[in-house]
Amino acid sequence: MAKSKPSSAPNRSESDSEQANDRGVTLSDQAYNYIVQSLENGSLPPGTRLRETELAADIGLSRTPIREALNRLMSEGLVTNDPKRGLIITELDQNMVGELYEMRRVLESTAAALAARHATDVEIAVLRQIIDRDETLDDPAALSYNNRLFHQTLYQCAHNRYLLKTLQVLQNAMLLLGKSTLAESGRPSTAREEHAQIINALEQRDPDKAQEVSSRHISEAYKVRLSRFLLDRK
């Protein structure tokens, strides 16, 4: 297993796998969060083989919550059962990348339209503060974090718990793509302008415009992503 990893949880017995801590997080949740965070920080990149015993030792849990977390990750598409290698972090092909971005375009544009109807003035102001922060950032990792924060806040602004849950799963799946497209030359300033257009539509309380500019934003991000994906395959 890779060296870089989130802090481990204390060792527990298998019968405790569904017991929650003070924040309502079960041992299975802890294992799930550990693997997602490891995917995000690059210590478990796509193609990495996952072994229950190694994960249990790394996290400090028994195998039962590890198994439950892996089953959940498989249902969400983050983990695949490869016939030759066993359980691995999912590797995306070109079709899967396209499908992922198409779902993101549909769901995020819907969230933007709902946000134009339901977001409070304070929530919209927070979105504006987030993109203003971009002006002070030049590190790709910091820009990526701020970008993720913008989109997560936009999802919250939709005030639809079912859409929010679906988008959170989709956001985790996006981690399979690796580095953000904001690492590409010129993309940060373009994305910032696209984010500003979304906020303008929210401020105008125009759902159709919000949906349109959000859809275009994801389509542009997909073009950059696909270009990098194809170049990396050469």
Side-chain angles (χ1 to χ4, degrees):
M1 305 295 290
K3 293 181 179 179
S4 175
K5 58 189 180 185
S7 58
S8 61
N11 193 23
R12 306 286 180 87
S13 66
E14 293 191 3
S15 61
D16 292 333
S17 65
E18 292 306 317
Q19 291 186 7
N21 62 18
D22 292 340
R23 294 175 298 171
V25 179
T26 67
L27 298 184
S28 176
D29 291 334
Q30 291 178 39
Y32 173 91
N33 292 336
Y34 174 95
I35 296 170
V36 170
Q37 290 166 16
S38 297
L39 175 58
E40 184 173 12
N41 68 28
S43 60
L44 286 178
T48 301
R49 186 175 179 183
L50 302 173
R51 297 178 175 86
E52 285 184 13
T53 52
E54 291 182 0
L55 287 169
D58 288 344
I59 306 173
L61 297 175
S62 66
R63 293 176 63 178
T64 294
I66 301 297
R67 189 176 304 118
E68 292 168 351
L70 290 172
N71 286 336
R72 178 180 170 189
L73 289 161
M74 287 181 66
S75 72
E76 294 177 359
L78 292 176
V79 170
T80 300
N81 192 355
D82 184 85
K84 295 182 178 179
R85 292 177 288 175
L87 295 181
I88 62 169
I89 298 293
T90 300
E91 296 174 295
L92 300 179
D93 59 26
Q94 183 176 340
N95 288 337
M96 294 166 74
V97 173
E99 291 166 6
L100 186 56
Y101 268 90
E102 177 60 17
M103 284 305 301
R104 185 183 176 194
R105 185 187 65 79
V106 171
L107 293 175
E108 287 206 21
S109 61
T110 299
L114 289 172
R117 295 187 179 97
H118 304 303
T120 66
D121 291 341
V122 172
E123 288 173 328
I124 296 173
V126 169
L127 284 170
R128 181 72 70 182
Q129 291 172 8
I130 292 172
I131 68 166
D132 286 346
R133 191 183 305 152
D134 277 345
E135 300 284 353
T136 67
L137 304 174
D138 54 15
D139 175 60
L143 285 166
S144 178
Y145 175 83
N146 208 50
N147 177 69
R148 188 174 173 89
L149 180 61
F150 173 85
H151 286 278
Q152 289 174 335
T153 305
L154 179 63
Y155 305 160
Q156 295 281 352
C157 289
H159 292 276
N160 185 304
R161 70 194 70 185
Y162 301 105
L163 180 60
L164 176 61
K165 185 175 181 179
T166 304
L167 280 165
Q168 287 172 335
V169 172
L170 185 66
Q171 276 282 72
N172 286 341
M174 295 295 293
L175 297 174
L176 295 169
L177 295 167
K179 290 193 303 182
S180 168
T181 56
L182 295 175
E184 300 297 320
S185 177
R187 182 58 189 162
S189 59
T190 302
R192 188 182 308 122
E193 176 57 32
E194 291 165 356
H195 287 169
Q197 291 173 4
I198 294 171
I199 295 173
N200 290 341
L202 300 189
E203 291 173 337
Q204 295 163 12
R205 301 297 177 178
D206 187 337
D208 292 338
K209 186 65 174 178
Q211 186 165 21
E212 175 192 343
V213 295
S214 178
S215 177
R216 186 165 61 244
H217 169 57
I218 301 304
S219 295
E220 291 302 315
Y222 173 58
K223 291 177 184 177
V224 177
R225 174 67 67 183
L226 183 59
S227 176
R228 177 197 286 173
F229 183 86
L230 294 175
L231 287 173
D232 288 345
R233 287 300 180 92
K234 289 185 177 180

